[in-house]
Amino acid sequence: MSVKVEDKLFLNRYRVDEESHLRIIDYTLCLKECPDQPCLYICPANVYKLDRDRISVSYEGCLECGSCRIGCPHFNIEWRFPQGGYGIRHKFG
Ligand code: SF4
Ligand code: SF4
């Protein structure tokens, strides 16, 4: 039986920090210099969404995989791990 990604993500647990560990540095650059906006497609957790011409960042669901950090062609995402004790906890089985 195949297991769907959604089923695997359901096993994850999060302790959410009040402060985001992800930040878009320059929203104007997203609009004017990044027509493909790859952050909307490369994140496995759909953290980045288009919200009325502006990229929103739902950092609470971040899997800390680092894809957006290297996938943004303009290095326009400030990325760090959540502070100690916060972020994702993986549960296997
Ligand atoms: S990939 Fe980078 S520059 Fe492009 S829209 Fe996303 S955050 Fe902005
Ligand atoms: S680190 Fe991975 S899961 Fe987190 S926002 Fe970036 S691409 Fe999405």
Side-chain angles (χ1 to χ4, degrees):
M1 186 179 80
S2 66
V3 180
K4 290 189 286 185
V5 172
E6 289 80 7
D7 295 335
K8 288 191 172 183
L9 290 176
F10 181 72
L11 291 172
N12 294 330
R13 294 292 176 265
Y14 301 85
R15 183 161 177 237
V16 177
D17 194 355
E18 285 179 15
E19 189 184 327
S20 176
H21 62 290
L22 308 168
R23 185 176 74 88
I24 292 183
I25 299 164
D26 181 353
Y27 283 97
T28 309
L29 195 149
C30 298
L31 276 178
K32 296 193 172 163
E33 308 285 337
C34 192
D36 295 335
Q37 301 190 318
C39 62
L40 299 178
Y41 309 104
I42 58 178
C43 174
N46 288 323
V47 164
Y48 300 92
K49 296 197 182 80
L50 198 56
D51 184 9
R52 276 177 265 154
D53 283 353
R54 191 178 164 107
I55 309 278
S56 69
V57 184
S58 303
Y59 70 94
E60 301 89 340
C62 176
L63 303 169
E64 299 168 29
C65 71
S67 301
C68 56
R69 181 185 205 173
I70 56 171
C72 172
H74 299 284
F75 304 104
N76 195 25
I77 297 173
E78 188 179 279
W79 195 103
R80 62 177 170 80
F81 282 109
Q83 33 178 350
Y86 291 96
I88 190 166
R89 261 189 310 144
H90 296 282
K91 191 177 154 206
F92 300 99

